[in-house]
């Protein structure tokens, strides 16, 4: 299904809390932190956090969120995982190509860790 349906999102605070409290996998870079926990649903889901503290302008926060959603859609992890992606201050200074390549590298690192475990 094209787009980003509700079944692909972390919607409830309990879902976020479960990933934050006991992440099974963690990968990071200067711009992003990805936390993951095995999902008890039938597909992988993602939650996105781009804090105003790190990215001041709303247009930039929205652009980063769009790019994260697109990367998730294209590179959905094969073992079902609940993911939380946190953007850091460095993401604000990156252009679209840099963000896309950085997220691609992080998705592959996460995939490798999830399969190894």
């Amino acid at each position: 299904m094209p787009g980003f349906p509700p079944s692909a999102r972390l919607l409830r605070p309990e879902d976020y809390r479960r990933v934050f409290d006991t992440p099974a996998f963690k990968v990071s870079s200067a711009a992003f932190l990805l936390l993951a926990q095995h999902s008890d649903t039938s597909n992988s889901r993602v939650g996105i956090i781009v804090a105003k503290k790190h990215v001041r302008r709303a247009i930039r926060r929205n652009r980063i969120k769009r790019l994260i959603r697109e990367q998730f859609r294209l590179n959905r992890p094969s073992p079902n995982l609940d993911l939380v992606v946190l953007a850091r201050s460095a993401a604000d200074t990156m252009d679209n190509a840099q963000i896309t390549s950085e997220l691609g590298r992080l998705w592959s690192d996460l995939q490798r860790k999830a399969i190894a475990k």
Side-chain angles (χ1 to χ4, degrees):
M1 171 182 231
F4 195 62
S7 62
R9 304 177 202 159
L10 292 179
L11 298 173
R12 300 180 325 213
E14 304 86 54
D15 296 333
Y16 280 89
R17 197 171 305 113
R18 191 173 66 83
V19 176
F20 276 120
D21 290 346
T22 57
F25 312 105
K26 186 188 294 189
V27 292
S28 66
S29 69
F32 298 99
L33 170 65
L34 273 68
L35 303 172
Q37 177 63 267
H38 290 287
S39 176
D40 40 353
T41 61
S42 61
N43 57 345
S44 293
R45 302 180 301 171
V46 69
I48 302 168
I49 299 172
V50 184
K52 190 187 278 191
K53 175 181 176 182
H54 298 300
V55 183
R56 296 293 305 162
R57 309 268 306 172
I59 192 168
R60 292 181 184 160
R61 288 194 304 274
N62 293 335
R63 175 181 62 95
I64 291 168
K65 289 183 216 176
R66 278 194 304 275
L67 292 168
I68 292 170
R69 282 193 298 266
E70 182 64 10
Q71 280 299 109
F72 178 77
R73 189 182 68 78
L74 295 174
N75 302 307
R76 202 169 283 210
S78 61
N80 293 337
L81 298 173
D82 285 344
L83 303 164
V84 174
V85 181
L86 291 108
R88 295 177 171 161
S89 300
D92 193 18
T93 60
M94 300 171 92
D95 64 15
N96 290 0
Q98 290 171 318
I99 290 173
T100 301
S101 67
E102 186 76 14
L103 287 171
R105 186 183 62 75
L106 292 173
W107 292 132
S108 62
D109 290 351
L110 181 70
Q111 186 78 23
R112 223 180 354 267
K113 282 186 174 186
I115 289 173
K117 220 171 194 188

